[in-house]
Amino acid sequence: TDTRTIPAVPPIASRGYAHPEVLVSTEWVAAHLDDPAVRLVESDEDLLLYEVGHIPGAVKIDWVTDLNDATTRDYLDRERMQVLLRSRGINQDTTIVFYGDKNNWWAAYAFWVFRLFGIERLKLMDGGRARWVEEGRPLTTDAPRYPAGNLAVGPRDDAGIRAFREDVLAHLQRRGQLVDVRSPEEFR
């Protein structure tokens, strides 16, 4: 038997997040593994991690090949996004819960790309893949198969959630500050 003690995690609502409503706990995910209105989406930096084992019922979104257009060096277009999400069994009323490795780094990126297309029923699993595994929760190598979904993807709208060069310059002229989230190596 495993005698490790897993540290207790304070409730999401008590941790001072600006938008705690977008986070769900591993307990919430475990309780919704068989919920047809919830689709778990794994998006990792390590592109082979999903195949090694993933949360039962989760589908894979590859942040490189699935979300980007290799020809235009931009995100995929509306039509391809809709085809992608429908192929993962995502419907209009589906709540999409992202998780992944590296503290949900690429899961949060996928979340953001989905928001560019007006998709609103999005959540992140608090603690990501690491917490799920740390808690000894189940993983599987079985890839789920879902009937095609019916999600209608809206037009891409960068304005509300993306800052462009002119936005940054205007912000700096107002003596605004920027936060650089790159690692020290990337910053240098």
Side-chain angles (χ1 to χ4, degrees):
T1 62
D2 188 352
T3 59
R4 292 179 296 162
T5 301
I6 308 287
V9 178
I12 292 168
S14 71
R15 289 188 260 151
Y17 291 115
H19 293 284
E21 71 279 3
V22 302
L23 295 172
V24 294
S25 68
T26 53
E27 292 83 9
W28 187 95
V29 170
H32 288 84
L33 287 180
D34 296 320
D35 187 339
V38 173
R39 182 70 65 243
L40 301 175
V41 174
E42 182 166 340
S43 189
D44 301 306
E45 178 183 47
D46 179 343
L47 300 178
L48 299 177
L49 199 54
Y50 176 86
E51 284 75 17
V52 171
H54 52 271
I55 297 175
V59 297
K60 178 180 180 177
I61 296 286
D62 183 319
W63 65 272
V64 176
T65 60
D66 289 333
L67 298 180
N68 293 284
D69 183 310
T71 305
T72 62
R73 295 187 51 88
D74 197 0
Y75 304 112
L76 69 167
D77 61 27
R78 175 184 184 180
E79 292 76 25
R80 286 181 40 217
M81 181 67 147
Q82 185 166 283
V83 167
L84 170 70
L85 299 184
R86 287 180 175 184
S87 77
R88 301 307 197 270
I90 297 174
N91 295 305
Q92 283 302 127
D93 63 348
T94 301
T95 296
I96 303 166
V97 179
F98 295 94
Y99 74 96
D101 64 348
K102 306 285 183 175
N103 298 315
N104 278 337
W105 186 13
W106 293 107
Y109 173 81
F111 179 107
W112 182 82
V113 173
F114 280 41
R115 278 277 164 93
L116 285 175
F117 291 92
I119 301 167
E120 295 291 329
R121 298 175 68 97
L122 306 176
K123 307 282 185 188
L124 275 170
M125 184 176 75
D126 185 41
R129 182 185 173 90
R131 180 164 299 147
W132 184 269
V133 170
E134 178 181 75
E135 292 174 351
R137 295 184 186 275
L139 296 175
T140 184
T141 57
D142 296 337
R145 293 180 186 228
Y146 297 107
N150 64 15
L151 179 68
V153 173
R156 178 174 156 183
D157 181 12
D158 295 41
I161 63 171
R162 192 172 186 191
F164 291 93
R165 180 181 183 274
E166 296 306 317
D167 300 317
V168 172
L169 292 174
H171 178 75
L172 291 173
Q173 286 178 348
R174 293 188 306 271
R175 297 190 179 270
Q177 295 182 344
L178 298 176
V179 176
D180 192 324
V181 298
R182 295 175 293 178
S183 69
E185 295 79 23
E186 291 170 317
F187 181 80
R188 279 193 293 278

